[in-house]
Amino acid sequence: MTAHEVNFDGLVGPTHNYGGLSYGNVASQSNSQQGSNPKEAAKQGLAKMKALMEMGYVQGVLAPQERPDVAGLRSLGFTGSDAQVIAAAARDAMPLLVASCSASSMWVANAATVSPSADTADGRVHFTAANLNCKYHRSLEHPTTSRVLSAMFADARHFAHHAALPAVAQFGDEGAANHTRFCRDYGEAGVEFFVYGRSAFDNRYPAPQRYPARQTLEASQAVARLHGLSEAGVVFAQQNPSVIDQGVFHNDVIAVGNGELLFHHQDAFLNTDQVVTELADKLAARGGDFRAISVPRDQVSVDDAVRSYLFNSQLLSRVDGSMLLIVPEECRSNSRVWDYLSALTSDKSAISEVRVFDLKQSMQNGGGPACLRLRVALNQAELAAVNPGVIMTPALYDRLNVWVDRHYRDRLVETDLADPQLLDECRSALDELTQILKLGAIYPFQLI
Ligand code: SUG
């Protein structure tokens, strides 16, 4: 039975802005307070979805969230009408209003961890929403994420949904950004690779000194248990703490994998040789032939990787067995990275082509091509069970573009977040979106 890896891309929400909210994420920090363009951001994302669809990949779309998060502000003690809550937060606690307005749910690689049915004990596709517990603005996402995923993958015969892990730093979980799956074929049992930044319960593990390690070993282990993965089908590896301290806040900023291939920076992991051997052995036991391309630090430094997002790329299988790498424009403007990629593709390596996309609006907050998508490997029966409203088609693309034109602003600065009109604009946009994508009622304002 043919299986596909479907990319579900996050649609950028109408409040996309640069809040400087993510300590440890260099782009978020350095673009803080710049004016944003939500309309352009949404269109850049849609253009990538359309391009992948036109290349023949099955492409889906994941809805954004209700912002400002008025319910979240109420839970912090702001009272009155919705407009009064926003006004009081703007007056007394602007940083909280900014966090409550973040469109960060667009980076759906952080929405959940997904295990395909070929890997799980009960033969269903398992989803665990990520608690994103390291940052307040991101910790707001998982309740709506769970409702959106349940509306997209509703059939309990095929799909199992787990609530986010306990909301404490010891179980900090950032979803698929720290999870990769290797396999010979998407429909066959594979090896799931969980990369964590620290251990919360065992102080023998090293930890970064400067920036937070968002993912814990214990969170990754809990997700693997919830999904019913076997010992033979998992590898846990620690990220190199020194790269976290250089701005690698998720593993997908320093490594990407697909099929039998891992493309990573030389400094990505602790104990790299051991990690690669374990991956190769476990994949071999499943009939696969694991390969790794290690990018040497003397050709591309960690700083180059963080600035260009070389590894936050999408590695896609092509029908001829080779792979295509989808990279952001910032890779082309970095000569060391571009020289490396030019040599790689002319080298008859496994990666035979590179395509470049302009995702600047998202990149300026630290979100590249890979951050914008959640991968879900599905067999034919599972694909047929997905809510068809969220699968990209030329007609849906056109409709979403018109919808963005009608509802999105083309400039947003911090003071605009206090405008009560923005909340009304977002709610009417999202109300229409749930009809377009056939999601039913998923937002707090629709559930009252
Ligand atoms: O969590 N940026 C996100 C970027 C997430 C990227 N995702 C992956 N690597 N998979 C984050 O740091 C910045 C928001 C702001 O500053 O306005 C932000 O949340």
Side-chain angles (χ1 to χ4, degrees):
M1 189 160 38
T2 325
H4 300 266
E5 178 188 86
V6 184
N7 284 288
F8 291 88
D9 275 44
L11 189 54
V12 179
T15 59
H16 159 63
N17 74 96
Y18 300 114
L21 299 171
S22 280
Y23 179 66
N25 167 345
V26 176
S28 153
Q29 297 282 276
S30 52
N31 292 303
S32 175
Q33 306 290 317
Q34 259 194 48
S36 66
N37 184 336
K39 185 178 283 186
E40 186 175 59
K43 290 194 168 221
Q44 287 175 343
L46 280 168
K48 174 164 88 74
M49 297 185 224
K50 177 170 185 262
L52 263 73
M53 170 186 73
E54 287 175 348
M55 285 179 229
Y57 297 102
V58 185
Q59 175 69 51
V61 57
L62 223 150
Q65 304 209 351
E66 180 187 340
R67 295 291 182 269
D69 185 342
V70 179
L73 288 170
R74 287 185 191 284
S75 76
L76 299 175
F78 297 99
T79 55
S81 65
D82 290 346
Q84 286 167 333
V85 165
I86 292 170
R91 189 187 58 232
D92 300 337
M94 196 58 189
L96 295 185
L97 178 61
V98 174
S100 307
C101 288
S102 177
S104 55
S105 68
M106 71 170 90
W107 300 298
V108 295
N110 305 118
T113 305
V114 186
S115 293
S117 57
D119 295 351
T120 63
D122 68 0
R124 294 188 295 168
V125 182
H126 283 244
F127 300 81
T128 296
N131 62 23
L132 296 171
N133 202 56
C134 184
K135 311 278 174 211
Y136 173 67
H137 71 289
R138 302 228 57 186
S139 71
L140 298 170
E141 294 172 28
H142 70 86
T144 298
T145 298
S146 289
R147 283 193 297 275
V148 176
L149 290 174
S150 297
M152 295 166 68
F153 304 96
D155 188 336
R157 285 169 305 172
H158 293 294
F159 307 118
H161 296 274
H162 305 279
L165 297 178
V168 289
Q170 286 161 311
F171 288 104
D173 176 22
E174 300 275 320
N178 294 317
H179 173 260
T180 311
R181 177 174 184 261
F182 299 100
C183 60
R184 195 172 57 172
D185 180 276
Y186 294 123
E188 293 177 6
V191 177
E192 300 200 16
F193 183 41
F194 291 85
V195 181
Y196 56 90
R198 69 185 175 103
S199 165
F201 290 86
D202 186 339
N203 60 15
R204 285 170 304 177
Y205 289 77
Q209 302 299 307
R210 184 176 179 209
Y211 290 144
R214 298 194 194 185
Q215 180 90 30
T216 68
L217 167 62
E218 292 78 6
S220 299
Q221 289 169 329
V223 172
R225 265 192 304 273
L226 285 165
H227 292 194
L229 305 181
S230 68
E231 173 70 30
V234 290
V235 173
F236 297 96
Q238 183 165 3
Q239 231 185 321
N240 182 346
S242 86
V243 301
I244 297 179
D245 282 338
Q246 293 171 74
V248 181
F249 57 98
H250 289 135
N251 179 57
D252 70 3
V253 175
I254 197 94
V256 59
N258 172 47
E260 298 169 299
L261 182 65
L262 170 65
F263 179 57
H264 70 96
H265 191 273
Q266 179 180 5
D267 295 329
F269 312 110
L270 275 185
N271 311 319
T272 306
D273 292 346
Q274 195 185 313
V275 170
V276 166
T277 304
E278 191 179 350
L279 285 168
D281 289 349
K282 288 191 167 167
L283 194 62
R286 298 223 186 287
D289 180 15
F290 180 79
R291 286 158 295 155
I293 299 177
S294 172
V295 179
R297 69 176 82 87
D298 60 7
Q299 288 183 44
V300 174
S301 67
V302 172
D303 187 57
D304 284 328
V306 170
R307 286 177 194 284
S308 68
Y309 263 36
L310 165 61
F311 298 96
N312 199 262
S313 45
Q314 285 180 255
L315 193 53
L316 299 168
S317 300
R318 306 205 309 182
V319 275
D320 68 0
S322 70
M323 289 206 199
L324 164 68
L325 197 69
I326 303 283
V327 300
E329 189 64 58
E330 285 73 3
C331 285
R332 187 153 50 190
S333 40
N334 179 313
S335 59
R336 287 173 299 280
V337 169
W338 196 245
D339 287 350
Y340 176 83
L341 283 173
S342 307
L344 182 73
T345 47
S346 59
D347 209 19
K348 298 243 174 313
S349 77
I351 299 173
S352 60
E353 191 188 349
V354 171
R355 288 211 193 177
V356 179
F357 282 82
D358 179 4
L359 296 163
K360 187 161 186 243
Q361 286 288 324
S362 168
M363 283 288 289
Q364 292 186 147
N365 252 339
C371 299
L372 286 162
R373 59 93 174 98
L374 182 67
R375 299 190 276 188
V376 186
L378 298 166
N379 65 32
Q380 291 291 0
E382 291 154 0
L383 183 55
V386 176
N387 179 340
V390 299
I391 300 297
M392 190 55 79
T393 61
L396 178 59
Y397 170 79
D398 288 343
R399 220 170 150 197
L400 289 173
N401 248 297
V402 171
W403 172 82
V404 169
D405 278 329
R406 197 166 44 240
H407 294 285
Y408 280 52
R409 299 188 186 189
D410 59 11
R411 184 166 167 78
L412 216 52
V413 294
E414 192 179 277
T415 46
D416 296 324
L417 304 178
D419 176 2
Q421 185 68 35
L422 185 65
L423 175 66
D424 293 342
E425 285 170 28
C426 289
R427 286 181 174 168
S428 57
L430 295 181
D431 211 28
E432 190 182 330
L433 183 70
T434 50
Q435 292 163 41
I436 296 174
L437 300 179
K438 301 186 175 47
L439 292 170
I442 50 169
Y443 295 115
F445 75 91
Q446 296 175 315
L447 297 168
I448 298 167

